C-alpha cells in the first residue's frame, strides 16, 4: 500500500497477559523512503504517551523493521490495544493485510508525529492495516 502523509493507520492487537512491550515491528514494502512513527493506543482509542516512537528512518525493503517506543510500556492484559502508524513520505510502501478479523481503520487530516484519539474500529477494512506486531 501507499501511505498518505496526512493519515494514521490503525490496527487492533490483542495482548493476552501483562507484558512489557518495547515497540512495533512493521513489515515494510518495496520502498522505504522517508520516516515512520508508531504508537500504541488503549481500548478506548486513546494514545498512550509512553508507548510512542521517535521519528525513525525506514530501513529494509520487503523486510521487518523494529521501531522502539521512547520507553518500554508495561501493558496490562488480557486487553485490546491499537497500533498507530504514520509515514512522512508518500512514496514509501508498506505491506498490508488483505483479509482479517481484527478492527482496522485510518484517520485523515492528521499531522505527522502527532498521534490523536480515535473511535476504535469494529470491522476489518482491506489494505489499510500494517502487517507486523508488537515486540
Amino acid at each position: 500500500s501507499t501511505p498518505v502523509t496526512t493519515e494514521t493507520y490503525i490496527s487492533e492487537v490483542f495482548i493476552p497477559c501483562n507484558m512489557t512491550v518495547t515497540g512495533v515491528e512493521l513489515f515494510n514494502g518495496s520502498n522505504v523512503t522517508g520516516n515512520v512513527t508508531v504508537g500504541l493506543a488503549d481500548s478506548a482509542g486513546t494514545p498512550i504517551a509512553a508507548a510512542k516512537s521517535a521519528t525513525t528512518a525506514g530501513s529494509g525493503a520487503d523486510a521487518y523493521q523494529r521501531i522502539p517506543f521512547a520507553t518500554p510500556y508495561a501493558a496490562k492484559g488480557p486487553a485490546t490495544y491499537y497500533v498507530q502508524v504514520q509515514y512522512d513520505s508518500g512514496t514509501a510502501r508498506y505491506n498490508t493485510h488483505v483479509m482479517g478479523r481484527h478492527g482496522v481503520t485510518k484517520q485523515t487530516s492528521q499531522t505527522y508525529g502527532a498521534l490523536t484519539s480515535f473511535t476504535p474500529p469494529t470491522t476489518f477494512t482491506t489494505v489499510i492495516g500494517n502487517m507486523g506486531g508488537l515486540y
Side-chain angles (χ1 to χ4, degrees):
S1 292
T2 303
V4 175
T5 60
T6 58
E7 292 181 341
T8 302
Y9 305 99
I10 299 164
S11 298
E12 178 182 338
V13 62
F14 181 72
I15 295 180
C17 60
N18 293 346
M19 61 190 298
T20 300
V21 181
T22 306
V24 175
E25 186 172 48
L26 298 177
F27 186 27
N28 292 329
S30 59
N31 185 331
V32 291
T33 306
N35 299 306
V36 62
T37 189
V38 299
L40 193 64
D42 64 20
S43 62
T46 304
I48 300 166
K52 183 179 180 294
S53 75
T55 293
T56 303
S59 176
D62 285 318
Y64 282 97
Q65 179 178 1
R66 286 186 168 193
I67 302 172
F69 296 143
T71 57
Y73 177 69
K76 304 292 183 203
T80 297
Y81 288 82
Y82 295 90
V83 172
Q84 296 175 278
V85 183
Q86 294 178 328
Y87 295 87
D88 76 352
S89 169
T91 59
R93 300 290 181 268
Y94 66 101
N95 288 305
T96 57
H97 292 277
V98 295
M99 54 190 252
R101 300 186 81 188
H102 57 288
V104 175
T105 192
K106 66 181 176 181
Q107 293 172 287
T108 59
S109 302
Q110 300 294 296
T111 301
Y112 179 79
L115 299 174
T116 61
S117 295
F118 56 91
T119 300
T122 58
T123 59
F124 177 82
T125 304
T126 192
V127 296
I128 289 178
N130 293 74
M131 286 186 174
L134 302 173
Y135 72 94

